[in-house]
Amino acid sequence: MCGIVGYCGPKPASDILLEGLKRLEYRGYDSAGICVGKGEDFQIIKKKGKIKDLREAVPVNLAGTFGIGHTRWATHGEVNDVNSHPHTNDTGEVAVVHNGIIENYNTLKNKLISEGHKFQTDTDTEVIAHLIAKMYHGNLEQAVREALYLLKGTYGLAVMHKKEPGKIVGARNGSPLVLGVGDGEMFLASDVMAMMAHTKDAVYLEDGELVSMTKDSYTMFDLDARHIEKEVEKITWELEQLEKGGYRTFMEKEINEQSQSIKRAFQGRLDLDGATAHLGGLNMSAKQLLNVQRVEVVAAGTSYYAGMVGAYLLERLARIPAHAELSSEVRYKNPIVEPSTLYFVVSQSGETADTLYAMRELQRKGATVLGVCNAVGATIPRESDGGVYIHSGPEIAVASTKAFTSQISVFYLFALLIARMRHFSFEEGYGFIRELDRIPALVGQVLQRAEKVKEIALRYAHHQNFLFLGRGMLYPVALEGALKLKEISYIHAEGYSAAEIKHGPIALINEETPSVFLVPDDGLRDKVITSIKEVKARGGKVIAVAVDGDEEINDIVDEIIRVPKTIDLFYPFLMVVPLQLFAFYAAEELGRDVDQPRNLAKSVTVE
Ligand code: G6P
C-alpha cells in the first residue's frame, strides 16, 4: 500500500527519494510522486503508473537536497497524475505526503472551501496541506500539531514548508513511520526498506508522535508539544536480502528460500535435552501456559490460512481447543474474551490494519495477545503482549510464500511446547523434533522437483477455473493454493474441503474445470480418493499432490505431483510448496506481473 520517503541531507534528494520509492514498490501502488526542495523553491513531479514513469519525468539534474516522496494506492479519487501525492495548498507553500484515510475530510474540505481555499484534487490528503497552511504562523511543527487536532482518521505523513527549507515534519497515527538517523543526513519512511541502503539506525514513531528533522538533527514530540526521548534501534535485515539474487522475480526467490527460512524459524528454539521448544518472546511462564484452555488465532489473507493450520495442529497435537478467525470479522463482532484463552495474531508485515485493530479490540477487552510476525519493529510486535518472530527475512513479492511456511513453523513449535506440558512424553517430543528437523531438507527435495510442477502448470494455465481440495490440516493448504493462484494469475480458483465438494461445488465440474487434490497419507486418504472419483465420474480433470509410494493414485488421476514421505502432521509444509510453484508458473505463462499483481498491496494498512 502507500509508501512514504523523506530525506534531508547533502546529496541530491531526487536520487534518494526515487531509490527509496523503488524499494517500496513491492507494497503495491498505482502512482508516485516527489517534492524536492532547493531553498524556497519546491519542484513537484508526480505520475500515474510505475516508478520508472516517474523517473522519466524527473529532470536529470534536479537540484535540491531535501524532499518527500510517495507511492499511492488509491482510496479517495481515481488513479491519475493530479491525485498522486505530494499535495499542496493553493499557494504551493505546503507539500504533504500521506498514508492512511482522513475520515472527516469532507466536512473539513467544505469548511475550507467556504473560507476561500481552492482544491485541485479528489483526495482526502489535500485537506491536510490546506489546514497546515491555514495554521502556519512561522512555526511548522506547531502548524502540523494544530492541523492534526482537527483530523479524524489514520495518518503517517511528511510535510515541508517553503518558509522553512531543509526541514521535514512527520507524524504518525495508525500508519507506520520511522526515522533513519544518518551521518549528516536524516531519512523518514513508512518502511525501513526505503532507507536501509543508507542507514541501519532507526527510531520508530508510535501513534500520536511527531518528528521534526533537518540534515543534522531531529526532535520528537507529541501533539501537546511535549518532548519525547526515543531509543535508536538497529535494523537487522541486510541489503542483499532486498535484491533478487539471480532470480527473475522475488516470488521465485522467496519460494526457493524456504528450506532456509524454515530452518531460521526453528533455529535456537528446539530443545533436544528437554524434547520441547523454547519460545522466549512469549513472555509467559510455564504456569501461565498451563492455565491456557483455548487458543484463538486472528489474521488475514495467507496469514489466516497459516493460522488455520496452526489451530488444527494445536487441537490435534496439543489437544487444546483452537480456532482461527478472520481479523476483519473479529474486530466488529464484539468478541467474547475469556481469561483462559490465549490469542495469537499472525501478520507477516505486522501492519495489516484489520489485524492490528482486531488485536487492539481484544486487548481492550483484557485479552493476552501474542504476535507471530516477520517485520521487526512493526506495530503488531510492538503493541502485542509478546510473540514470536518468524525470521523469514524480508518478503517482497506481494503474494506471500515463505512467510506462510515460517508462520506454520512457529505453530509447530508452540504446539510441541504445549503438548509436552500436557500429555506428550519425552520420547514423543523427541520423535516429533527429529521429524520436524528433517522438514527443511524435505522442502528442499520438493523444490528440486519444480520442473514437474512447471510442466503441469504450463499445460493447465489457460483454464479459467480451478478447485483446490484438501481435508484436515490440508484443507487450509488447499485454501492457500487457491488464493495463490487467483492472486498472481487472476485465474478464478476456489478452495474447499474435499468432503464439501458434494454439497455444491461439484456442480462446477466439467472438462474445463480442473481440481487440484491434496492426497494425504493418513486416515482421511480413502475419503479423499472417494471425492476424486466423484470428480472423475463427472468428467473433471484431477491434478493430485500425493506422497511418494502412493502408487494406487496413478490410475485414478490425470496428473501427479509427488512429495517425499514424512509423518502425516507435516504435510502442510511439503504440499503448500508445489501449490506456490503451480501458481507462479501459471502466472508466468500468462504473462502476469508476478511480484506486483494488479490491485493488490503487500501490506494493507487501511480497513
Ligand atoms: C495482503 C497481502 C497478502 C497477505 C495479507 C495479510 O492482502 O497481499 O499476501 O497475506 O495482506 O498480510 P499480513 O502482513 O498481515 O500477513
Side-chain angles (χ1 to χ4, degrees), residues 300-303 346-352 355 398-400 407 483-484 487 600-604:
T302 290
S303 299
V346 186
S347 174
Q348 186 283 129
S349 62
E351 298 292 353
T352 300
T355 308
V398 164
S400 186
Q407 288 163 340
L483 178 67
K484 266 323 64 107
E487 277 180 318
L600 298 183
K602 180 72 182 158
S603 168
V604 182

